[in-house]
Amino acid sequence: MADLEKIAEELSSLTVLEAAELSTLLEEKWGVSAAAPVAVAAAAPAGDAGGAAEEKDSFTIVLAAAGDQKINVIKEVRAITGLGLKEAKEIVESAPKDVKEDVPAAEANELKEKLEAAGATVELK
């Protein structure tokens, strides 16, 4: 049996160039690719329904409920969408309703916080 400690010590002393050459040599000898496990590992979370929220890069802001402070929520919806008073009021009164679609993740979280501070219940989809 090989002395694993000795092998680990020798591998640790390799330069980056030597390690790359060793990788190529082993790929050719064993008929494998070092990139394949990385691609499989990266693809696995994308198929996971539970982790899909972290992987998304754009969201739809959904007003689930207006809450008790409807006027403040209407003001926030107007500020977010640029709609007039009547249109913003219709969105708030017809909750659950999409407020804005295809919003980048950072902006979506910021807008969610603003709406929640105004008293609304908000979901990101």
Side-chain angles (χ1 to χ4, degrees), residues 63-86:
L63 179 67
D68 294 334
Q69 301 175 6
K70 210 185 289 190
I71 293 173
N72 292 336
V73 176
I74 292 170
K75 288 179 183 178
E76 276 306 320
V77 169
R78 286 187 69 199
I80 291 169
T81 61
L83 294 172
L85 180 60
K86 180 181 177 186

Side-chain angles (χ1 to χ4, degrees), residues 31-61:
V32 297
S33 174
V38 173
V40 170
D48 179 22
E54 290 91 22
E55 298 297 322
K56 289 180 70 173
D57 57 353
S58 66
F59 294 88
T60 298
I61 300 170

Side-chain angles (χ1 to χ4, degrees), residues 49-123:
E54 290 91 22
E55 298 297 322
K56 289 180 70 173
D57 57 353
S58 66
F59 294 88
T60 298
I61 300 170
V62 179
L63 179 67
D68 294 334
Q69 301 175 6
K70 210 185 289 190
I71 293 173
N72 292 336
V73 176
I74 292 170
K75 288 179 183 178
E76 276 306 320
V77 169
R78 286 187 69 199
I80 291 169
T81 61
L83 294 172
L85 180 60
K86 180 181 177 186
E87 294 85 1
K89 183 179 177 195
E90 287 174 2
I91 288 175
V92 171
E93 290 179 345
S94 62
K97 187 83 171 172
D98 293 356
V99 175
K100 196 168 185 181
E101 297 179 351
D102 296 326
V103 181
E107 182 182 353
N109 287 325
E110 178 183 327
L111 296 177
K112 179 182 180 197
E113 289 175 11
K114 286 182 179 181
L115 284 166
E116 287 175 343
T121 304
V122 182
E123 298 174 2

